[in-house]
Amino acid sequence: MMYDMHSYQDRKNPEAEALFEAALADTLYPTPFIAQVNLGWVLHLQGKTAEGEQVVRGALIARPEFCMGHRQLARILESEGVQPDADASWTRFHKFC
């Protein structure tokens, strides 16, 4: 089963959260850092922004060169009004992508 954002046009759907959590629980899932960033984004869209930010940051600890993680973190930080940190994330996004 694929656990990707493209499967969920409505990313606020609680089912999306459950599927990304299932991907993270699957020890054979080859790219858990992607599922983790997607889960963080879904949490943010559900209004759980602080939790989503922490989930994305955790993915970036595991895979610091994952540029799309930096993109999502920058978007979350911008929504929180933390522009200096968002700018740093955008810089890392451009560095790795």
Side-chain angles (χ1 to χ4, degrees), residues 18-32:
L19 285 175
F20 292 127
E21 287 173 349
L24 291 170
D26 181 350
T27 59
L28 298 178
Y29 190 67
T31 54

Side-chain angles (χ1 to χ4, degrees), residues 4-27:
D4 64 31
M5 289 301 274
H6 301 292
S7 300
Y8 293 90
Q9 294 303 313
D10 179 9
R11 290 166 183 83
K12 293 182 183 180
N13 183 339
E15 185 179 343
E17 181 179 348
L19 285 175
F20 292 127
E21 287 173 349
L24 291 170
D26 181 350
T27 59

Side-chain angles (χ1 to χ4, degrees), residues 16-48:
E17 181 179 348
L19 285 175
F20 292 127
E21 287 173 349
L24 291 170
D26 181 350
T27 59
L28 298 178
Y29 190 67
T31 54
F33 60 94
I34 294 174
Q36 196 171 359
V37 167
N38 289 338
L39 173 60
W41 184 247
V42 165
L43 291 169
H44 164 67
L45 292 177
Q46 292 175 348
K48 303 173 191 174

